[in-house]
Amino acid sequence: MDDRMMQAVLYDRYGGPDVLYVGRVPRPEPAPGEVLVKVRAFSVNGGEVTARSGRLRLLLGRRFPKRVGLDLTGEVVAAGAGVTGFTAGDLVWGVLGRTGFGSAAEYVTVSADRVGRLPDGLDPVEAAALPVATTAVTALRHKAGLRPGERLLVRGAAGGVGSAAVQLGRAYGAEVTALARAANLDFVRGLGAHEAVDHRGVRPAELGRFDVVLDTVGTDLRTFRHLLAPGGRMVAIAFDLGRPLASLGYIAGSAVHGRGRVRFFSGDPRQADFDALARHVAEGALRPAVDTVFSSLEETAAAHRALEAGGVRGKYVVRVA
């Protein structure tokens, strides 16, 4: 077998999960400042599903084939010039960041400042559910400044970021209310939510007031912003894909007004964020929430299909055989 080539998940046109296939592409070599990682596992994220479907085609263009996979766990194979913090054999986790997709592959190169060492004793496959948790840490700690005793509402609490936010909110001393599907209420209670509410069975106004609202859904932001108590903060990590311009316009407009504004950001974690994540794991404040492990690259389409169907509890993870 030619070791200059590798398997990766590709697609040649926008569409449903069935457009995904496993093909052969050149194995990358690490540039200065990068590490080459043999991928153990990756998770499926909403952003890449949105990209694959074509809803971002104006931004992503029509150059194919395109790749999927945003985060990863794996083993360092080689380090490029100037990399001093990692050596061959180190187990790491990371996120490709805004540079694009591509972790659904046997190997990937990634900037050394976008990975961190995997905590001792954490299974690399299960750990693939956690890189996205850096978004929850940033949202609660740095964007919202969540304090002990405050009321926290997590919308989309059973998903990847939401399930991490419930755990971290509890660890940070907040009183956590989790909004999720009825079938997932016991799941989010098990993560530490003080109250779990079926989002289809209650009107938002009935939920009361909150010091912090973390929204992972992106729709009806105006409605949930009105739940903020005086001095409250709202952080959104998604926008309404059905009305993207109106949604982004509302977020931008709210940011001008200061009090009660919506803080919107897209996760772009660096090594310090992964180090913080490792500390939370070591302290027992955070554990992987894995819904299903798919056994090989060939099952990536099935993982995309499952995420689109809804009802995920934590993350769908794909093992790279």
Side-chain angles (χ1 to χ4, degrees):
M1 181 177 292
D2 187 351
D3 62 6
R4 295 173 298 179
M5 303 294 288
M6 68 172 187
Q7 290 188 320
V9 179
L10 311 169
Y11 60 101
D12 296 328
R13 68 185 190 280
Y14 294 120
D18 291 343
V19 303
L20 298 176
Y21 68 94
V22 177
R24 293 188 66 77
V25 298
R27 178 176 137 171
E29 294 294 332
E34 293 183 337
V35 289
L36 174 66
V37 179
K38 183 176 183 179
V39 181
R40 294 281 191 91
F42 60 92
S43 76
V44 178
N45 297 278
E48 65 192 283
V49 170
T50 299
R52 186 220 69 228
S53 72
R55 282 177 284 180
L56 300 177
R57 69 183 71 202
L58 293 179
L59 177 64
L60 299 177
R62 292 185 173 275
R63 177 178 288 184
F64 294 100
K66 295 188 184 296
R67 305 272 295 273
V68 295
L70 180 63
D71 52 36
L72 68 136
T73 60
E75 179 181 343
V76 173
V77 175
V83 175
T84 58
F86 300 99
T87 59
D90 287 343
L91 292 178
V92 295
W93 53 8
V95 173
L96 299 187
R98 295 170 182 163
T99 57
F101 302 113
S103 64
E106 291 181 303
Y107 294 88
V108 67
T109 52
V110 58
S111 176
D113 70 350
R114 293 185 183 275
V115 297
R117 292 181 184 274
L118 203 65
D120 292 339
L122 192 60
D123 177 78
V125 174
E126 290 191 351
L130 283 177
V132 71
T134 55
T135 300
V137 174
T138 300
L140 297 180
R141 278 294 203 208
H142 307 304
K143 299 296 182 178
L146 181 67
R147 296 184 291 269
E150 291 192 316
R151 293 196 74 206
L152 166 66
L153 175 66
V154 180
R155 189 175 178 218
V161 175
S163 60
V166 170
Q167 296 180 69
L168 292 170
R170 179 77 181 237
Y172 296 158
E175 181 184 334
V176 182
T177 297
L179 274 181
R181 293 186 178 197
N184 292 335
L185 297 184
D186 286 342
F187 169 70
V188 294
R189 289 189 190 98
L191 296 174
H194 294 85
E195 183 178 10
V197 180
D198 176 8
H199 72 95
R200 294 176 178 173
V202 65
R203 292 186 298 110
E206 298 172 354
L207 295 170
R209 297 286 182 173
F210 296 89
D211 302 291
V212 173
V213 173
L214 173 58
D215 193 298
T216 73
V217 180
T219 59
D220 300 321
L221 294 179
R222 186 188 304 273
T223 298
F224 284 90
R225 181 186 178 198
H226 288 159
L227 302 185
L228 293 176
R233 294 85 68 200
M234 181 173 180
V235 181
I237 65 166
F239 59 90
D240 187 350
L241 290 171
R243 303 170 61 247
L245 294 180
S247 181
L248 290 174
Y250 174 72
I251 292 170
S254 75
V256 175
H257 300 295
R259 180 174 298 177
R261 69 185 186 274
V262 180
R263 297 159 171 86
F264 177 81
F265 78 101
S266 177
D268 190 27
R270 300 303 174 106
Q271 189 173 120
D273 298 302
F274 289 106
D275 292 343
L277 200 64
R279 289 194 294 272
H280 285 307
V281 172
E283 294 165 357
L286 185 65
R287 67 180 190 274
V290 179
D291 185 302
T292 305
V293 175
F294 294 82
S295 62
S296 67
L297 287 174
E298 286 79 7
E299 293 195 9
T300 302
H304 275 234
R305 196 173 297 113
L307 186 62
E308 288 186 340
V312 63
R313 297 181 179 182
K315 297 289 287 182
Y316 292 121
V317 170
V318 180
R319 184 197 310 270
V320 180

